[in-house]
Amino acid sequence: MSYTSTSVLRASATAAQAQEIIGLLGYKKVGDGLKVPNRIAGYMWYDDENYRSWSGVELDVYKTPKGPVKVTTRASASRSYWDLVHQNRTLKLLRDLFGGHFQTDAGRNRYWRPDAPAPSPLSSGCYLARWRFHNGLGRAKVYLMNRNLEGPIARDTPSGFDFMDEFNPRLLSNNLVVPYMVAIWEEYFRATFAACLRFSQQREAALKRAKLSHADLEKIAVGSRQIERSIAETFSFQRPTVITENFRLLDQKLDIGGAIKKPYRGRKTTLFQTIEELIEGRNELVHTGQLNLKLFDKQLKAALSDFTEAVNRSYEHIAKHYAFEPNHNY
């Protein structure tokens, strides 16, 4: 689902005039490689200051030989409060300056209305990290739904002989999914840590632990990377033990490990221990090529579920700690 609009400018307005205003509104020209009839240019607006944009706003300018200039905008259903505000602002300014009319999903010359007030920057940053993990998880699920492993050796149960299972393409495929999952797991915590660090009142301990390189300092100096993100890049966010220690640098009461250790589905082994074991298995594969010969489809799906549950618990714990409402609308 997406939110779209079409602005039809008065006949005397030129495409060059419209494009000048579009640039002043902060849109950047982009190329998608597609040849769309009558389209003059495509633009994108995205504001990463204080995590304002979630999906941004797309914009296209059209002009037929005899017709008026038309400007379309599009924002996905996952747009943020600020994406919506900027989309409305674009419609208003184009109409105020060039006349004509616009059409949105809400009706002719009707603006969209936010469903809720603007979230805090910290809430927005934590949500973005969780949303991106969700999207990454979706890629893994689509891969598993669409892969096609055939042949007698591609078994989904043990053969009884380890030397046979070592050549099972299903086991190799499943094992390769784990490093990918660990990567998006690590990115979730790194991005969340950067957001919490940016708005934390207790930054000193984390700043002292950071070991920024010359390249990091150059990126910070030219504004191509937030200092908090550069600091987060110097920490590891794989093992729950280390993740817990890192977040405690921001506040001793921020206990990520405690949230993950709580009972889960009556298991004797906690999520904390399960994730630690999955990380250990990932390291064995990456560093030695050693496969987990027990990681069949059922076990892999359970692992994906465990990663998701641990991330959800962490996200909700952080939301409770910093007093903002968690958002699970992805």
Side-chain angles (χ1 to χ4, degrees):
M1 179 181 176
S2 61
Y3 297 91
T4 61
S5 74
T6 300
S7 295
V8 181
L9 311 188
R10 67 169 179 258
S12 60
T14 66
Q17 291 172 329
Q19 287 179 281
E20 182 177 2
I21 297 304
I22 289 165
L24 292 174
L25 281 166
Y27 288 88
K28 305 296 183 183
K29 186 176 287 190
V30 296
D32 55 18
L34 300 177
K35 294 183 178 180
V36 181
N38 302 317
R39 185 174 71 170
I40 296 173
Y43 293 83
M44 183 71 189
W45 178 85
Y46 190 91
D47 184 4
D48 56 9
E49 178 69 23
N50 287 335
Y51 305 102
R52 286 179 177 270
S53 282
W54 294 351
S55 61
V57 181
E58 300 172 21
L59 183 148
D60 291 300
V61 181
Y62 295 87
K63 181 68 172 74
T64 59
K66 296 183 179 180
V69 174
K70 294 183 180 181
V71 179
T72 65
T73 69
R74 176 186 174 276
S76 70
S78 57
R79 67 182 177 181
S80 71
Y81 172 93
W82 298 281
D83 292 331
L84 179 152
V85 168
H86 195 72
Q87 202 171 5
N88 279 338
R89 183 187 178 202
T90 301
L91 299 177
K92 184 178 188 304
L93 192 58
L94 288 175
R95 186 170 182 238
D96 288 349
L97 293 176
F98 301 114
H101 70 276
F102 64 84
Q103 183 78 29
T104 71
D105 308 293
R108 184 183 175 93
N109 292 333
R110 294 181 66 87
Y111 300 101
W112 291 283
R113 295 186 178 182
D115 296 328
S120 69
L122 174 57
S123 169
S124 186
C126 291
Y127 168 76
L128 265 176
R130 179 62 188 85
W131 177 41
R132 288 166 180 164
F133 175 85
H134 171 81
N135 291 340
L137 178 70
R139 295 186 196 102
K141 289 182 176 179
V142 169
Y143 164 71
L144 292 174
M145 286 190 295
N146 287 277
R147 71 177 181 181
N148 187 17
L149 298 172
E150 299 179 345
I153 197 172
R155 301 168 54 93
D156 194 26
T157 56
S159 67
F161 301 97
D162 286 353
F163 72 91
M164 289 289 291
D165 291 338
E166 286 178 354
F167 291 95
N168 185 338
R170 185 179 300 275
L171 282 175
L172 177 59
S173 174
N174 289 350
N175 272 265
L176 291 175
V177 171
V178 175
Y180 170 77
M181 286 303 303
V182 173
I184 63 172
W185 154 275
E186 188 172 11
E187 171 57 23
Y188 163 74
F189 284 106
R190 178 170 287 112
T192 301
F193 182 86
C196 292
L197 175 62
R198 186 170 192 182
F199 303 105
S200 174
Q201 300 299 316
Q202 304 177 50
R203 301 159 56 94
E204 185 176 354
L207 293 174
K208 287 181 176 179
R209 284 274 300 275
K211 297 180 180 179
L212 298 177
S213 67
H214 178 73
D216 293 327
L217 295 174
E218 283 189 340
K219 291 177 182 178
I220 294 168
V222 300
S224 63
R225 179 185 285 176
Q226 294 176 354
I227 184 172
E228 294 83 8
R229 177 68 194 202
S230 292
I231 291 171
E233 292 284 354
T234 68
F235 293 90
S236 172
F237 289 92
Q238 282 192 6
R239 295 182 180 275
T241 303
V242 177
I243 293 170
T244 302
E245 293 174 357
N246 291 343
F247 276 89
R248 278 181 171 161
L249 292 173
L250 304 178
D251 190 332
Q252 284 295 317
K253 295 181 180 179
L254 189 52
D255 186 10
I256 300 295
I260 301 177
K261 287 178 181 177
K262 291 179 180 178
Y264 178 52
R265 295 182 176 177
R267 295 183 184 177
K268 294 182 179 179
T269 303
T270 66
L271 271 176
F272 191 97
Q273 293 170 304
T274 300
I275 299 294
E276 287 273 354
E277 291 171 3
L278 286 167
I279 301 296
E280 186 63 36
R282 174 264 179 201
N283 292 340
E284 283 287 325
L285 175 65
V286 170
H287 297 298
T288 70
Q290 183 66 42
L291 294 181
N292 178 353
L293 298 182
K294 297 180 180 179
L295 194 64
F296 290 94
D297 289 6
K298 179 179 179 181
Q299 288 73 28
L300 178 61
K301 290 177 182 177
L304 300 186
S305 177
D306 290 345
F307 275 119
T308 305
E309 177 66 19
V311 164
N312 282 340
R313 289 187 179 193
S314 302
Y315 175 52
E316 290 168 5
H317 177 74
I318 291 169
K320 183 178 180 180
H321 181 84
Y322 288 111
F324 66 80
E325 189 69 25
N327 182 358
H328 290 283
N329 296 321
Y330 308 124

